[in-house]
Amino acid sequence: MTRLTGRALRLTVFVGENDTWHHKPLYSEIVHRAHAAGLAGASVFRGVEGFGASSLIHTSRLLSLSEDLPVAVVIVDTEPRVRAFLPQLDELVTEGLVTLDDCEVIRYTGRERTPGETDAKGKRSL
């Protein structure tokens, strides 16, 4: 389990929920690459309304405008680890917004798994 406290960097990637990478949701590809890179964690948040560089408002309130709602992928880890991940985003994010913010991690804990326990993908812990 990754231990993380103190100064950190928050990476936020804003894209549309319909954005894809090789026929897979872009936000999912970002999360899976962050996991493969060993980053501390990543979460995806779906927006209910927003607009970006195109100035087109997307909202869940009107059926006709509910397509391609905004999605934010948030990743927090140490600055060197986050910065090392940025080149992957250069490849993936062709439209959207990528931001970095300094932050402080107060508490980062996960559930400890017992030896032999399987995760959601069926992998056994050692």
Side-chain angles (χ1 to χ4, degrees):
M1 180 173 96
T2 303
R3 301 249 181 241
L4 180 65
T5 57
R7 288 182 45 91
L9 203 59
R10 177 178 52 223
L11 166 65
T12 307
V13 183
F14 298 93
V15 294
E17 73 176 334
N18 291 340
D19 292 346
T20 60
W21 176 259
H22 297 281
H23 309 291
K24 179 179 177 180
L26 177 59
Y27 60 83
S28 180
E29 182 67 18
I30 294 168
V31 167
H32 284 86
R33 287 196 186 195
H35 185 259
L39 294 173
S43 296
V44 179
F45 300 93
R46 183 176 187 231
V48 295
E49 189 166 10
F51 71 93
S54 68
S55 293
L56 179 63
I57 293 179
H58 302 273
T59 179
S60 62
R61 291 182 295 131
L62 301 171
L63 187 59
S64 64
L65 298 176
S66 66
E67 297 175 2
D68 203 25
L69 289 170
V71 173
V73 181
V74 180
I75 299 168
V76 176
D77 208 321
T78 63
E79 183 171 352
R81 293 171 63 85
V82 170
R83 290 200 181 275
F85 184 69
L86 292 178
Q88 294 201 50
L89 294 179
D90 287 339
E91 176 187 3
L92 295 172
V93 181
T94 58
E95 294 178 358
L97 174 67
V98 178
T99 64
L100 292 172
D101 301 290
D102 290 322
C103 64
E104 182 178 358
V105 175
I106 304 299
R107 181 179 171 100
Y108 176 67
T109 58
R111 182 175 35 145
E112 295 291 331
R113 287 190 289 190
T114 57
E117 182 182 357
T118 58
D119 66 10
K121 291 186 176 183
K123 293 183 181 177
R124 288 189 172 271
S125 63
L126 300 176

